[in-house]
Amino acid sequence: MLASEFIIAMLQSMKKKLLILLLTLISTTANAEFKTKAKSAFLIDYDSGTEIVAKDADTLMPPSSMIKLMTLALLFDEIKAGNLTMDTRITVGENADYNKPEWYPASKICLVAGQTISVRDLILGLIVLSGGDASVVVAEHIAGTENAFTEKMRNKARSIGMTQSTFGNASGLPNPNNLMTSRELAILAEHLISDYPDIYPMFATKRFEFAEHKTDWCREWGRTHTVNYNKLLFNMAGADGLKTGHTNEGGYGMVASAKVGGRRLIGVINGFNGKGHEALAGEMKKLLEYGFKNTVGKTFFVPGDVVAEIPVWYGRQKTVTATVDKTFAITINKDDGLGGIRVLARFDDPISAPVNAGDVVGELIAEQNGQVIARAPLIAKDKVKKTQFFGRVIKNIKVMFGI
């Protein structure tokens, strides 16, 4: 690089630009604190990630069958990678046979060792029937043994930001190593919704009748077990998932999501001692409705939106489009008072080429009354290559002579 080129580039990079993009006002009403008899409760806005309710959200507790959400995530990864299809048939091993004593009182599809079952039916059996036997089939197919599968569960958890959760089995049957927090269950729910958009709608399935039972006892079991344990699907408009759980040790729990008016909230309840899944759904409905009623969300940008056109120094194109890699939104309490919200983009003007698609090129900030309430990176939408040597020389000359 020429000395003059280096000096000019350095001077250019020192210029910071602050662009006020939007200014808006939010109307307000009063709201009261949410109360629940559950040991733990957590509620977030899916788009903004803002925490709305948190009661012992970071306390490790038995997740019961909610742990099957991680089992499903690993199964979805296999589908996403092309290793499995919905029609792939998997053989049921001895450990998933309904005659094993641990499956007598447990939720199950009612499978027999040696039979085969499609991946689609395994998914529906896990979601709707909370099939513990299905979770063992998945675990043994993916990892060879359920014990080896729990290590994959742990690794998956850490990869998506679940730093505390531990796993003793794939089904959620009582095990001292089955421990998760409500916050981390919400992280898992976010992952399932965002990373598997083609599969996630299956969580809204209200009824599933397995058609391939091999014994009369299982056929009778299947006849009377077809309805999703997630009763929220039946009593709240907009509810579309995810999973319930119950053990005597852990009580009742639920991870749920609902989308109302284009806005999605994710709720988690655990350690609830109400009478059955109907009472659990009622408590979750109260939690979600509290969020929709007492907070307001505002989406400013979604991936692909043009936030700013940033000049590029020595670029083959004069500018690069800055966008966001995920939805940029805010959530505020309605009782915070009428206040100004402004959104700002901060970036170098210009930035130096080359620029690759996905490179961080600045920052997006939302403020309310001067206080930062949300921030996210600005990323380059497209690639901008660096000009050749003679192009940079010409650029330097133009700058030096003000051309």
Side-chain angles (χ1 to χ4, degrees):
M1 178 183 284
L2 297 174
S4 60
E5 177 181 344
F6 176 79
I7 293 170
I8 292 169
M10 288 294 291
L11 289 172
Q12 291 290 342
S13 68
M14 290 172 65
K15 295 180 180 179
K16 293 284 185 181
K17 190 163 188 177
L18 188 64
L19 184 63
I20 299 177
L21 301 169
L22 295 165
L23 183 67
T24 187
L25 296 175
I26 305 293
S27 59
T28 63
T29 58
N31 66 278
E33 182 182 358
F34 181 78
K35 297 184 185 302
T36 178
K37 292 181 180 179
K39 292 179 180 178
S40 178
F42 190 60
L43 180 67
I44 60 169
D45 189 305
Y46 172 76
D47 284 326
S48 69
T50 300
E51 176 183 306
I52 300 171
V53 171
K55 176 184 178 182
D56 289 332
D58 297 306
T59 300
L60 286 166
M61 300 175 62
S64 307
S65 284
M66 293 181 289
I67 207 170
K68 294 185 177 91
L69 293 176
M70 183 58 77
T71 302
L72 283 161
L74 286 165
L75 179 57
F76 295 170
D77 280 344
E78 292 294 304
I79 296 170
K80 197 172 180 179
N83 299 327
L84 296 171
T85 71
M86 288 291 178
D87 295 323
T88 301
R89 297 194 71 85
I90 297 174
T91 301
V92 177
E94 294 288 342
N95 292 321
D97 192 298
Y98 83 99
N99 285 300
K100 287 186 71 68
E102 58 262 39
W103 302 126
Y104 290 171
S107 54
K108 53 186 169 287
I109 297 178
C110 203
L111 301 174
V112 175
Q115 77 175 103
T116 63
I117 180 172
S118 70
V119 168
R120 180 181 290 102
D121 283 353
L122 281 172
I123 293 172
L124 289 172
L126 280 159
I127 291 173
V128 179
L129 306 180
S130 195
D133 49 358
S135 67
V136 173
V137 174
V138 171
E140 292 183 342
H141 180 79
I142 292 176
T145 67
E146 189 172 8
N147 187 55
F149 187 74
T150 61
E151 184 63 22
K152 288 184 175 290
M153 296 171 82
R154 181 187 182 281
N155 292 339
K156 174 72 174 180
R158 300 299 180 265
S159 73
I160 62 173
M162 300 168 63
T163 61
Q164 295 191 75
S165 298
T166 60
F167 306 92
N169 57 46
S171 64
L173 287 176
N175 184 297
N177 291 321
N178 283 342
L179 294 170
M180 301 175 78
T181 70
S182 290
R183 187 185 303 276
E184 294 194 357
L185 280 164
I187 290 172
L188 179 54
E190 288 181 279
H191 174 68
L192 290 166
I193 294 167
S194 64
D195 282 41
Y196 315 102
D198 295 333
I199 306 176
Y200 177 71
M202 295 178 77
F203 280 98
T205 304
K206 294 180 178 179
R207 291 178 174 83
F208 167 62
E209 186 171 353
F210 184 56
E212 299 181 16
H213 287 123
K214 298 301 181 182
T215 69
D216 289 341
W217 193 94
C218 281
R219 277 187 281 273
E220 180 60 23
W221 169 272
R223 187 184 67 79
T224 57
H225 292 78
T226 62
V227 180
N228 200 317
Y229 288 100
N230 182 359
K231 305 308 178 186
L232 191 72
L233 296 173
F234 300 88
N235 68 16
M236 182 177 181
D240 59 10
L242 296 159
K243 189 77 185 69
T244 66
H246 174 254
T247 59
N248 292 332
E249 296 83 354
Y252 285 93
M254 177 187 284
V255 183
S257 179
K259 193 171 186 179
V260 177
R263 182 185 177 207
R264 181 182 293 281
L265 299 183
I266 295 173
V268 182
I269 285 175
N270 204 4
F272 180 68
N273 292 316
K275 295 182 179 180
H277 286 90
E278 293 287 354
L280 174 64
E283 194 73 1
M284 178 58 74
K285 184 178 181 182
K286 282 168 48 182
L287 177 64
L288 291 166
E289 287 182 341
Y290 169 88
F292 285 118
K293 178 181 178 181
N294 294 296
T295 65
V296 61
K298 176 73 175 178
T299 296
F300 294 107
F301 297 103
V302 299
D305 283 353
V306 177
V307 177
E309 291 290 345
I310 303 177
V312 180
W313 186 248
Y314 294 138
R316 292 191 181 183
Q317 289 81 42
K318 291 182 178 180
T319 64
V320 64
T321 299
T323 186
V324 289
D325 60 353
K326 55 185 177 182
T327 299
F328 185 71
I330 61 169
T331 304
I332 62 171
N333 291 324
K334 289 183 179 178
D335 65 352
D336 279 347
L338 194 65
I341 304 290
R342 68 174 187 169
V343 177
L344 312 97
R346 180 179 286 122
F347 50 85
D348 289 342
D349 180 10
I351 59 173
S352 298
V355 181
N356 293 312
D359 281 355
V360 175
V361 294
E363 186 178 32
L364 199 56
I365 301 167
E367 294 181 348
Q368 183 177 29
N369 299 324
Q371 181 179 358
V372 175
I373 57 175
R375 62 199 323 150
L378 285 174
I379 64 167
K381 187 175 182 180
D382 302 300
K383 183 176 183 177
V384 178
K385 294 182 178 180
K386 195 172 186 176
T387 58
Q388 298 298 320
F389 174 77
F390 288 109
R392 299 198 296 274
V393 172
I394 293 170
K395 177 68 174 176
N396 288 342
I397 294 171
K398 287 182 177 180
V399 170
M400 286 188 288
F401 289 97
I403 300 174

